[in-house]
Amino acid sequence: MLDADENETLAALLAWYREMGADEAVGETPIDWLVHGAAAPGAAVRERIVVPAAAAAPAAISAATPLAAPRPGSAQAASRPPPAGHQPSRPAPAVSREARSFPSAPPDVSQLAARTAATGAPSLAALEAALRSFDGCGLKATAKNLCFYRGAERARVMLIGEAPGRDEDLEGKPFVGPAGQLLDRMLASIGLTEADVHITNIVYWRPPGNRTPTPQEATVCRPFLDRQIALVAPEFVIPLGGAAAKHMLNAAEGIMRLRGRWQAGEFGGHPVRILATLHPAYLLRTPAAKRLAWRDLLSLKAEI
Ligand code: URA
């Protein structure tokens, strides 16, 4: 039993973890990567991790629990120490679990491997199989599921978001949470259903704590996305939100400058027209911006 003080400390620590973006347990036991020296995370920790049976407190209160990276805007906050009074915990529950391995290859090697795996894929099913056996993107280590796509295999309109969130990670499909439901309603307003479109993201695994994927993570996934676009063969590519728009348009400007302007592009050798628009998650937080998204939707409707 924890006493009142311990309870309070534990609650404060968990609240702090949540604020930092660590809103989900990705393992039952904490892994202290630092004790493995300079080796790449995971490379040296293939042995089974067995923790003593007499343990009582949840693994989450161990000082060694790795933190998920913070949500955008909370970068400095992530370096804050845990709440005062926090004591490194007693041993974790008796659990035996194999550590998941993280990719250790340098980014250019991972990207080359991605290109080799993706370009040879003759179908979406083959591309999905290639993605499932690809270990070059670190996001895979913490995600529960691969989120490849939802919608039609071939479509005139392809929508590309930022990254799977919690609901998507659980279901293994892009845009199935509240933002996805709004996206479906937006598409319905211009007469499109899931059967008319192909929906995916610039990365295929959920970033821990729902942070924005890094440019490196997006870049390493890019050969798969380029091949996916070539296989789906859309006429129109619609990046949703700033991260997707910048990545797909290779641009530095913000979404408010990029949105609403048709541009020509080519992915995996396939020519498309690109129209960036606002992310439905942003529209849920900022309903006043819906009129801008509506303008973009009407512009898409006029073309199809
Ligand atoms: N936000 C995204 O960018 N993609 C999803 O799949 C879900 C939410």
Side-chain angles (χ1 to χ4, degrees):
M1 271 297 271
L2 301 177
D3 64 27
D5 273 0
E6 285 173 319
N7 262 334
E8 202 178 307
T9 303
L10 183 56
L13 182 65
L14 289 175
W16 180 76
Y17 278 151
R18 221 175 14 250
E19 235 181 86
M20 295 303 104
D23 55 3
E24 202 162 342
V26 293
E28 291 173 44
T29 56
I31 299 166
D32 185 356
W33 298 110
L34 298 179
V35 303
H36 297 282
V45 196
R46 303 296 299 173
E47 78 274 19
R48 292 177 76 70
I49 298 173
V50 180
V51 199
I61 65 170
S62 164
T65 303
L67 284 178
R71 289 166 193 280
S74 59
Q76 303 93 327
S79 62
R80 265 189 264 137
H86 166 63
Q87 295 294 319
S89 74
R90 47 190 97 181
V95 177
S96 166
R97 180 175 183 278
E98 183 139 345
R100 299 167 89 179
S101 78
F102 286 66
S104 52
D108 50 342
V109 173
S110 295
Q111 225 198 319
L112 187 62
R115 210 172 306 136
T116 308
T119 45
S123 64
L124 286 178
L127 191 62
E128 179 171 358
L131 266 171
R132 285 193 189 282
S133 51
F134 179 64
D135 286 329
C137 178
L139 296 175
K140 186 178 181 181
T142 48
K144 288 189 170 59
N145 281 303
L146 167 74
C147 293
F148 187 30
Y149 76 91
R150 77 175 169 94
E153 285 195 13
R154 285 180 78 94
R156 289 183 74 199
V157 179
M158 183 160 173
L159 299 121
I160 305 179
E162 174 178 317
R166 184 173 183 277
D167 296 318
E168 289 74 22
D169 186 36
L170 290 174
E171 212 167 302
K173 279 191 178 177
F175 282 100
V176 292
Q181 287 152 21
L182 175 57
L183 179 61
D184 286 351
R185 292 199 297 278
M186 290 162 65
L187 292 171
S189 73
I190 55 165
L192 296 175
T193 69
E194 187 183 80
D196 303 310
V197 298
H198 184 99
I199 304 173
T200 192
N201 284 300
I202 58 171
V203 297
Y204 298 98
W205 295 274
R206 180 196 183 192
N210 291 349
R211 65 165 168 75
T212 302
T214 63
Q216 289 77 9
E217 288 158 352
T219 299
V220 92
C221 291
R222 183 58 180 268
F224 292 98
L225 183 56
D226 283 347
R227 184 65 188 144
Q228 188 174 355
I229 295 173
L231 289 166
V232 174
E235 279 170 59
F236 309 110
V237 163
I238 314 295
L240 301 168
K246 284 181 195 174
H247 182 67
M248 300 310 294
L249 292 166
N250 195 21
E253 297 109 301
I255 185 63
M256 287 304 176
R257 282 188 185 280
L258 294 174
R259 61 150 285 277
R261 282 194 282 135
W262 284 103
Q263 303 193 41
E266 187 181 304
F267 303 106
H270 177 76
V272 292
R273 295 181 64 209
I274 310 168
L275 180 72
T277 190
L278 301 174
H279 195 289
Y282 173 74
L283 299 176
L284 286 174
R285 294 192 303 271
T286 321
K290 283 184 182 169
R291 69 190 168 82
L292 298 176
W294 178 236
R295 248 189 246 167
D296 301 340
L297 284 170
L298 289 179
S299 179
L300 173 62
K301 187 178 181 198
E303 296 300 317
I304 54 181

